Each structure stands twice: as structure tokens, then as C-alpha cells.
Amino acid sequence: SADPVFQSRLFSYADTHRHRIGTNYQQLPVNAPRTGYRMGNFQRDGAMAFYNQGSRPNYLSSIEPISFRPRSVNLGKTHGHFVSQAVSFMSEIRPEDFNAPRALWGKVWDDAARERFINNVSGKMEMCGEKEILKRQIAIFREVSPEIATRLEKA
């Protein structure tokens, strides 16, 4: 999905687990992958360690190297060919940024929820004395729905 909020949640959920539970959050039975083998990694001791991997070193060892089982899937065939590059920073507003708010306004909220939203936003916008800022904010709401912009201009 190109949704930046969804992309950030993919990072945030795992990061939150690491913060709240610890490095072994993936060993909790509810979070553990359902595979026929136990995975080896470098996250082993400490809180919530259900499987500490025995005497295996906690680092990449040249004496006892990690052995990987052969892949049963050809990743070159199962994954699509990527044409572009990864984006390290994205600060521009893009058309797909308005898809989720547009669906919320048009499909999820009923008339009463829309009215509450207009009242809340217009109440906060009344505190802004800068006409240019108000004009820009209404233009952003217009991208979501012309109805929102019209109602905010009247409010």
C-alpha cells in the first residue's frame, strides 16, 4: 500500500512491542511465527525469553557460523520487479494522501458526525487571525471534499 500512515504503522507496531515487552517480543507465543523450526537470531536473553537458543553465540561467530536452510521459493519469481528506489524522506502532499480522509467523510461519517467535525474545525479556525493560513487550510480540506471547504467558508 502506498498509504504513508500504513507504512509508518508497519514500523511503529514492532518498535512499540520492542519498547513495551523487550527484544524477545517475537518469542511470545501470540507473536511467534508458526513454523516447523525455531529461528536463530541475536535477541535471546532478557525479559520474555521463551527460547534462548542454548549455547549458540550471541554474535556472528567465525568459529561456529550460522547455517541457513536452502530456500524452497525462488524469490526472484515470486516478488515483482522493482523499478523505483526507496524514498528516505517524503514531504510533499500527494493525491493519495486524501483517499482515506475522503472515504471517512463520504462513506463512514453520517450527517451528525460531519456537522460535529465542521463545528470543531471552524471553532479552532476562528482563533486564527491570519487570513492566508485560513485560506491554505481550507484549500487542503477542498482536496478532501468541496463540501467541507464550502461549509468551513460559511462557518
Side-chain angles (χ1 to χ4, degrees), residues 75-140:
L75 296 178
K77 290 183 180 179
T78 57
H79 291 290
H81 178 68
F82 294 103
V83 178
S84 187
Q85 296 177 352
V87 177
S88 60
F89 182 73
M90 180 176 72
S91 64
E92 76 238 11
I93 296 174
R94 299 171 10 177
E96 57 265 21
D97 294 338
F98 299 101
N99 291 342
R102 194 174 295 124
L104 183 66
W105 176 264
K107 297 178 182 177
V108 177
W109 284 350
D110 59 4
D111 289 336
R114 289 186 193 109
E115 187 62 34
R116 287 191 304 272
F117 175 79
I118 295 296
N119 290 337
N120 288 338
V121 173
S122 63
K124 294 298 181 188
M125 290 176 80
E126 284 175 356
M127 292 189 252
C128 179
E130 297 287 329
K131 296 295 181 193
E132 181 60 29
I133 293 173
L134 292 172
K135 198 165 87 175
R136 282 195 246 160
Q137 186 60 51
I138 289 174
I140 290 173

Side-chain angles (χ1 to χ4, degrees), residues 31-65:
N31 293 337
R34 295 175 184 248
T35 60
Y37 60 93
R38 293 202 168 170
M39 297 209 274
N41 57 34
F42 302 123
Q43 304 166 343
R44 34 191 273 175
D45 293 329
M48 304 292 177
F50 286 83
Y51 167 62
N52 73 356
Q53 304 168 45
S55 62
R56 193 179 68 73
N58 197 21
Y59 52 88
L60 280 173
S61 171
S62 57
I63 299 170
E64 191 180 333

